[in-house]
Amino acid sequence: MRPSDIPEIRALRLFKSMSDSAFEALIQAAYLQTFPAQLELIREGDPADFLYVVTEGRVELFARANGREATMGMVHPIGTFILAAVLKDAVYLMSARTCQKSKVLMIPAENVRAAFEADDAFARAIVVELASCYRSVVKEHKDLKLRSSVERLANRLLRYHADQGANGTLELPYDKRTLASLLGMTPENLSRAFNTLKPYGVQVKGTEVTLSDIDGLTTLAKPNILIDDRTS
Amino acid sequence: MRPSDIPEIRALRLFKSMSDSAFEALIQAAYLQTFPAQLELIREGDPADFLYVVTEGRVELFARANGREATMGMVHPIGTFILAAVLKDAVYLMSARTCQKSKVLMIPAENVRAAFEADDAFARAIVVELASCYRSVVKEHKDLKLRSSVERLANRLLRYHADQGANGTLELPYDKRTLASLLGMTPENLSRAFNTLKPYGVQVKGTEVTLSDIDGLTTLAKPNILIDDRTS
DNA sequence: TCGCGCGATTGATAATTATCAAAAGGGGGA
DNA sequence: TCCCCCTTTTGATAATTATCAATCGCGCGA
């Protein structure tokens, strides 16, 4: 693996506080691989063989049932996924595929569990990480259960807007089909939801969005810190 | 607190492996209280002051936004709730209220965090617990995103049926209004969903349900181990 | 530069789910 | 035992969301 990647991984909340020796052992056992776009990295139902760390590119977590498919989340560099399955030595609940060409570090699950047993600091870091993941899913669940699709979109736009500097414009981080699935709606519905938001100053051109009436949009969206805030 | 409750709490996965001294310290700091039905124990947005353990009765976790309310989960004896917020020293994401007269052990959050720092076995037990909670919410999220309301009901009935001995009958564990909210629908819709399931051998009388065509119902429900199995 | 292909949009319609109102049914207390 | 209250159910209708089909439009490659 490229040595320059290591410090960034080491700096992750998950690995920051663990001992050098334990971290070394993890990295030594790991594989760094580059995958093309649209490659299925893991499939739900398979045993959790690896913990994944995305170092470049983008990975989509999704799930299938009946004939339907739903995007469950997106993983950006530098981020990990599928930690809970690895720790429980269980099967994956979600599938994952690359959205674009991506570089991924794969740490064998048994090494992760060994480090978890051996290194107390790592075990504690995992707790913090898992607690965060848990709260994120709870927020997504509330989003889905308590809001209409237009409200979900409005709040998502406000979130991206804030993330990107709150200067009145934002760029959609994913294509619209993926965004739709992430928001729990069809692409057609997303398109219509954008139209619904036009009177609230939302202009879309490709992946560029301009917000000319933040107050109006906010009134409609009624953002809620207990759903939309990603930091707590 | 009643001494006879202690062994059961001690036997919880969360507390089983921790040291006697750390467990003692937790219990000593804790309050055991009995609450009447329909009492709001915690409110989302409030700082997490206590970890809760339900020892008798039943507690509903729910969330509010806009004017809507959704049941997020039910906690039965002996079960804990709101662990992630306590560990992160964050605000609660969910509210909780008693469904019936309930006995609840309240462990001050700072004691939990102290035990987490001091006791490695406890820290590891927390990891397992959190990983399980996380996977449960992911499953609920998949349930909501990938299934229609009738499918959700059908699968829920099959689950209760299996839990209760799979003898062709089951008892709904909650009133229908609560069940509806748990399944992400209105009470009216739940009533109609039961009617939709009549041709599949589902007979409802109050909280008693008989299933006379398990195969047919299963064909409709298409249960999925990655959504419906509570043990993995 | 010119199509070609694919994602996105629009239109028409259907299915699902929610809302509002009213009636029915059942259990507990007087 | 009867009545009242509250949950549930039913009915009518509206809103939301999905589906299917067709068109649009933009970027890429020949």
Side-chain angles (χ1 to χ4, degrees), chain A:
Chain A
M1 84 178 294
R2 206 167 64 184
S4 64
D5 291 329
I6 296 183
E8 268 191 303
I9 296 167
R10 185 73 165 116
L12 284 180
R13 176 174 56 183
L14 190 56
F15 301 117
K16 198 162 38 186
S17 54
M18 75 191 302
S19 71
D20 285 333
S21 63
F23 182 72
E24 272 304 309
L26 274 192
I27 290 294
Q28 288 306 322
Y31 309 91
L32 187 72
Q33 282 202 270
T34 301
F35 296 103
Q38 298 306 320
L39 190 105
E40 198 162 315
L41 299 174
I42 63 176
R43 186 182 289 258
E44 51 186 313
D46 287 350
D49 293 329
F50 295 96
L51 173 67
Y52 287 76
V53 185
V54 182
T55 65
E56 280 176 31
R58 185 159 302 169
V59 171
E60 176 187 2
L61 301 175
F62 65 100
R64 274 192 268 250
N66 302 350
R68 284 155 274 192
E69 183 180 306
T71 301
M72 302 293 289
M74 304 294 292
V75 189
H76 299 239
I78 308 251
T80 71
F81 60 93
I82 235 79
L83 176 60
V86 165
L87 289 170
K88 290 206 74 181
D89 197 5
V91 297
Y92 298 121
L93 291 181
M94 299 184 278
S95 301
R97 71 182 150 224
T98 52
C99 298
Q100 34 185 268
K101 190 180 169 195
S102 299
K103 207 155 77 170
V104 174
L105 183 73
M106 299 165 60
I107 310 175
E110 48 192 301
N111 295 78
V112 175
R113 288 191 295 269
F116 165 67
E117 291 299 334
D119 189 309
D120 296 335
F122 185 47
R124 291 197 167 79
I126 286 173
V127 165
V128 176
E129 179 79 7
L130 276 179
S132 299
C133 291
Y134 172 77
R135 287 169 66 89
S136 290
V137 193
V138 169
K139 286 172 187 168
E140 274 165 52
H141 203 63
K142 287 171 69 172
D143 192 45
L144 200 59
K145 256 189 153 171
L146 291 165
R147 285 173 170 162
S148 71
S149 60
V150 171
E151 291 171 327
R152 292 199 296 277
L153 174 59
N155 281 292
R156 187 64 65 128
L157 292 178
L158 288 172
R159 182 157 115 204
Y160 291 152
H161 180 246
D163 289 347
Q164 296 175 21
N167 65 348
T169 72
L170 63 98
E171 177 159 7
L172 299 177
Y174 322 112
D175 63 52
K176 293 198 180 117
R177 175 211 299 268
T178 305
L179 181 62
S181 184
L182 196 58
L183 291 172
M185 54 178 123
T186 59
E188 295 95 327
N189 228 330
L190 175 64
S191 185
R192 292 185 172 109
F194 271 122
N195 280 330
T196 305
L197 292 181
K198 248 180 206 154
Y200 298 87
V202 176
Q203 293 255 322
V204 195
K205 183 143 187 69
T207 62
E208 299 297 324
V209 180
T210 62
L211 306 182
S212 53
D213 179 12
I214 306 279
D215 286 354
L217 187 61
T218 303
T219 302
L220 173 86
K222 295 182 218 49
N224 182 325
I225 225 182
L226 299 176
I227 300 179
D228 303 294
D229 184 19
R230 301 287 101 190
T231 66
S232 72

Side-chain angles (χ1 to χ4, degrees), chain B residues 26-205:
Chain B
L26 274 192
I27 290 295
Q28 288 306 321
Y31 309 90
L32 187 73
Q33 282 202 270
T34 302
F35 295 103
Q38 297 307 321
L39 190 105
E40 198 161 316
L41 299 174
I42 63 176
R43 186 181 289 257
E44 51 185 313
D46 287 350
D49 292 330
F50 295 95
L51 173 68
Y52 286 77
V53 185
V54 181
T55 65
E56 278 176 32
R58 186 158 301 171
V59 171
E60 176 186 1
L61 301 176
F62 65 100
R64 274 191 268 250
N66 303 349
R68 284 157 274 195
E69 183 179 305
T71 301
M72 302 293 289
M74 305 292 293
V75 190
H76 300 237
I78 310 253
T80 71
F81 59 93
I82 236 77
L83 177 59
V86 166
L87 289 169
K88 292 205 72 180
D89 197 4
V91 298
Y92 297 121
L93 291 182
M94 298 184 277
S95 301
R97 70 180 151 227
T98 52
C99 298
Q100 34 185 267
K101 189 181 171 196
S102 299
K103 207 156 78 170
V104 174
L105 183 73
M106 301 165 59
I107 311 176
E110 49 192 299
N111 296 77
V112 176
R113 289 192 293 269
F116 166 67
E117 291 299 335
D119 189 309
D120 296 334
F122 186 47
R124 291 197 168 79
I126 287 174
V127 165
V128 177
E129 179 79 7
L130 276 179
S132 299
C133 292
Y134 172 77
R135 286 169 65 89
S136 290
V137 192
V138 168
K139 286 172 187 168
E140 274 165 52
H141 203 62
K142 287 171 68 172
D143 193 45
L144 200 58
K145 256 190 154 172
L146 291 165
R147 285 174 170 161
S148 70
S149 61
V150 171
E151 290 172 327
R152 293 199 296 277
L153 174 59
N155 281 292
R156 187 64 65 128
L157 292 179
L158 288 172
R159 181 157 116 204
Y160 292 152
H161 180 245
D163 289 348
Q164 296 175 21
N167 66 347
T169 71
L170 63 97
E171 177 159 8
L172 299 177
Y174 322 113
D175 63 53
K176 295 202 179 110
R177 175 212 299 269
T178 305
L179 181 62
S181 183
L182 196 58
L183 291 172
M185 55 178 123
T186 58
E188 294 96 326
N189 228 330
L190 175 64
S191 183
R192 292 184 173 109
F194 272 122
N195 279 330
T196 305
L197 292 180
K198 249 182 205 151
Y200 298 87
V202 176
Q203 293 255 324
V204 196
K205 182 142 186 72

